Amino acid sequence: MNEPARAKAAKPLPKPAPESVPYWEAAKQHRLELPKCNACGKFWFPPSQSCPHCLAADFAFTPVSGRGKVFSFVTFHRVYHPAFAGEVPYVVALVELDEGPRLLSNVVGVTPDKVTCEMPVQVVFDDVAADVAVPKFKPV
Amino acid sequence: MIDPSRDLRDACAIVGAGHSRLGRVPSVSSLDLLVEAMRNAITDSGMSVQDIDGIVCRGPDDIYSHHQQIGARLGINVKFSTSLDNGGASQILAVAIAAMAIKAGMATTVICGYGRDSWSRTHSSEEARVKNQTTPDDQLPKEFAPEYGYFGAVAAHAFGATRHMHLYGTTREQFGAIAVACREHALRNPDAQMKKPLNMAQYHEAPQIVAPFGLYDCSLRSDGAGAVIVTSRERARDLKQPPVLIKGFGSYNNLRGWFADDNMVTTAAKKSGEIAYGMAGLGPDDVDCAQIYDCFTYMVLTQLEDYGFCKKGEGGDFVASGALRMGGRLPTNTSGGQLSEAHVEGMLQVVEGARQMRHTYPAERQVKDAEIALVSGHGGNQVCHSTLILGRA
């Protein structure tokens, strides 16, 4: 493999939008923090500058339990990006947190055939680069 | 105030329909494919291009001011012209906007269409083939997706399939019945991209792509285009083709997201369909054939439920009963659909719905005695939906 191809084969890192920088800063410290509305008390995701439940703009990034359950999931067999060639089959899941919001993530620490809807899961952090940690989930 | 059932039902008609070469059409741009389909639609209508005074289309994502470029290639100035941004729901929305513009006196004869070069685009290089991506890179998600290896429309729709299987016990065998029915129809369509038969054993043996979807759950990568011409019912009477009445249309957009609420199982088709049925004064029992947006097998199954052809959760049994085949309860995607004819983001479904209402097909392709056709469009980020109900004049 030549050098440009090798460089291309690195897994993509998240490129945070301005509103999600605090989310990724907390993740780097292995904390899962989501925007929580100071007006209606609800969490939301993905981050934005106003609450989609009540449109208030008064909020704070607040830790969540990191517990939830698999709402639905898929298993990638096809390789869409060369960096994932060694990973297939892998699971991408929509995890519904106990606090309500749903996050897209990977379910790790279990073979794909054991993953089910409603399976309870807990967040773990994958240090994918020196200054980037990605929240993933493992079965409880 | 407009009353849709009084003022828009049967107010306009489709008087021309056309498609371009379909499948693998190298060295032709999406713009020229669409112009090819539009020329065919104009010829079909017996009108001149100078009779067109409106254009509504949806450009491929990488083309800005799409309708302007189409007008330039057609060589016309028009009263009403715009491009849409609702993904696969755009094509029916274009017909709806055409009807509304004609009713409002903004135009008299509007051409609608869509063309794309998805096969060429995903086969231009090895990298393009691996990515299998038609969306420009700068429009792709930059966080909360690629870092997890989450790419593409197959996976997005597969989430809904998994959830439906969990809730209702739906099976891959049932998804397979949709793929097999579409292929049967395509084999009767000489212009269809897929030429070989497909049986259930082949469906099951095909490679998995993003489970629960295998290869034959996925629609095609196609070059191709379709177009229709809309005018008032009065003008339609004097034209060459038997007019196809626009009896009703609707749209609904679950903008809270595909991953929000229960949207991946009960889609925006439900409310879009209620609006269209209301305008047409019809219900699911009145529909003789359906052209359902089949980007993936599961999407046909769940939309059939949402449109009321069976109850939510019973779509698997409905499709496995043979209902979608010619002679079945609801012949569906009778030209082969996006699974087997060509994937032109729902535009060919509009064309096929109109053609079924003309009764000019040979017997093997004609849904016998069909009086009402329902056409669906679905897209954007899986949340936009549109519905068109057509009828014989």
Side-chain angles (χ1 to χ4, degrees):
Chain A
M1 190 182 278
N2 61 27
E3 282 308 311
R6 196 190 306 275
K8 242 186 282 177
K11 281 187 187 172
L13 294 173
K15 296 184 183 127
E19 51 267 38
S20 43
V21 167
Y23 173 89
W24 291 110
E25 287 297 317
K28 189 163 51 176
Q29 310 297 324
H30 289 201
R31 295 193 315 273
L32 189 61
E33 294 187 0
L34 271 56
K36 185 183 186 188
C37 180
N38 286 330
C40 75
K42 291 179 181 168
F43 285 92
W44 73 87
F45 188 85
S48 60
Q49 297 283 319
S50 58
C51 171
H53 305 289
C54 75
L55 275 189
D58 178 15
F59 69 98
F61 277 84
T62 306
V64 292
S65 64
R67 286 188 299 272
K69 60 186 181 178
V70 172
F71 184 80
S72 190
F73 67 98
V74 299
T75 306
F76 274 74
H77 292 266
R78 192 186 195 282
V79 176
Y80 287 81
H81 187 297
F84 290 87
E87 307 276 324
V88 291
Y90 60 92
V91 171
V92 177
L94 186 65
V95 173
E96 184 171 284
L97 296 175
D98 288 354
E99 290 82 1
R102 295 175 185 167
L103 276 62
L104 195 80
S105 188
N106 297 124
V107 174
V108 297
V110 61
T111 55
D113 60 307
K114 299 287 189 258
V115 178
T116 59
C117 291
E118 311 301 339
M119 170 187 263
V121 290
Q122 170 74 43
V123 72
V124 292
F125 288 89
D126 185 356
D127 295 307
V128 295
D131 57 350
V132 182
V134 170
K136 297 184 176 177
F137 288 83
K138 64 173 187 183
V140 173
Chain B
M1 188 68 184
I2 282 186
D3 173 349
S5 61
R6 185 192 64 207
D7 299 317
L8 288 169
R9 180 196 303 172
D10 297 340
C12 291
I14 292 176
V15 295
H19 64 277
S20 71
R21 288 165 288 169
L22 304 176
R24 301 177 182 190
V25 192
S27 307
V28 183
S29 72
S30 61
L31 288 165
D32 275 336
L33 285 166
L34 179 50
V35 170
E36 184 176 317
M38 286 180 164
R39 286 166 51 215
N40 289 336
I42 293 166
T43 302
D44 176 70
S45 73
M47 289 192 288
S48 143
V49 69
Q50 300 303 330
D51 294 320
I52 306 287
D53 62 0
I55 300 174
V56 186
C57 51
R58 181 225 167 196
D61 296 311
D62 59 323
I63 297 180
Y64 177 65
S65 66
H66 184 270
H67 65 107
Q68 302 171 36
Q69 300 195 43
I70 289 298
R73 285 174 195 235
L74 292 176
I76 54 174
N77 301 321
V78 299
K79 290 177 179 165
F80 187 83
S81 190
T82 193
S83 312
L84 304 178
D85 181 24
N86 291 55
S90 304
Q91 306 1 304
I92 287 171
L93 204 55
V95 173
I97 288 171
M100 291 187 280
I102 290 165
K103 190 70 185 172
M106 299 284 286
T108 62
T109 303
V110 181
I111 195 160
C112 307
Y114 178 73
R116 70 189 325 201
D117 56 351
S118 299
W119 188 86
S120 293
R121 190 180 283 244
T122 51
H123 292 74
S124 59
S125 68
E126 177 59 17
E127 185 189 356
R129 194 195 62 76
V130 169
K131 284 170 75 177
N132 193 32
Q133 185 72 50
T134 57
T135 310
D137 280 346
D138 61 2
Q139 294 184 14
L140 296 176
K142 297 177 182 57
E143 57 180 337
F144 313 127
E147 65 271 33
Y148 296 112
Y150 179 67
F151 305 102
V154 184
H157 292 83
F159 269 101
T162 300
R163 185 74 185 164
H164 200 283
M165 294 165 93
H166 168 72
L167 291 174
Y168 304 113
T170 311
T171 65
R172 289 205 70 230
E173 180 94 3
Q174 292 166 336
F175 295 153
I178 297 164
V180 168
C182 283
R183 185 61 60 89
E184 281 181 6
H185 300 159
L187 296 181
R188 301 187 190 100
N189 174 0
D191 292 342
Q193 190 169 344
M194 304 311 282
K195 306 289 189 194
K196 295 178 185 167
L198 174 69
N199 63 35
M200 191 61 84
Q202 291 166 317
Y203 168 83
H204 283 299
E205 286 159 11
Q208 293 186 289
I209 306 296
V210 181
F213 288 158
L215 180 65
Y216 294 118
D217 292 297
C218 304
S219 53
L220 304 170
R221 288 301 190 201
S222 309
D223 302 327
V228 296
I229 298 171
V230 180
T231 192
S232 67
R233 183 183 194 174
E234 290 72 29
R235 283 175 64 85
R237 284 199 188 100
D238 302 326
L239 295 174
K240 178 177 158 191
Q241 299 291 351
V244 176
L245 291 176
I246 296 171
K247 302 195 79 68
F249 50 79
S251 77
Y252 201 80
N253 304 277
N254 281 335
L255 303 185
R256 284 168 50 79
W258 179 243
F259 286 161
D261 308 314
D262 291 318
N263 293 344
M264 66 172 70
V265 168
T266 297
T267 74
K270 184 171 173 58
K271 288 181 177 172
S272 178
E274 287 168 1
I275 293 165
Y277 284 140
M279 187 188 296
L282 299 169
D285 290 345
D286 300 307
V287 176
D288 301 307
C289 74
Q291 314 298 335
I292 302 291
Y293 196 96
D294 55 340
C295 45
F296 301 94
T297 52
Y298 160 70
M299 289 310 299
V300 176
L301 187 153
T302 194
Q303 288 177 68
L304 291 169
E305 296 172 343
D306 294 335
Y307 278 117
F309 296 112
C310 59
K311 289 183 184 155
K312 183 53 69 181
E314 295 180 359
D317 289 338
F318 184 79
V319 301
S321 73
L324 311 190
R325 303 170 68 181
M326 294 300 267
R329 152 70 190 93
L330 187 73
T332 293
N333 297 359
T334 43
S335 57
Q338 304 186 139
L339 291 165
S340 282
E341 180 189 29
H343 187 327
V344 186
E345 296 228 339
M347 193 62 223
L348 296 178
Q349 264 104 341
V350 177
V351 168
E352 173 66 6
R355 288 177 176 155
Q356 284 293 342
M357 293 297 94
R358 288 181 178 174
H359 290 200
T360 50
Y361 269 137
E364 63 168 11
R365 293 184 67 185
Q366 179 63 49
V367 178
K368 193 167 180 294
D369 301 328
E371 296 290 324
I372 300 292
L374 182 145
V375 189
S376 84
H378 153 92
N381 290 316
Q382 299 83 242
V383 302
C384 298
H385 198 94
S386 56
T387 309
L388 182 65
I389 300 176
L390 301 173
R392 271 174 71 72

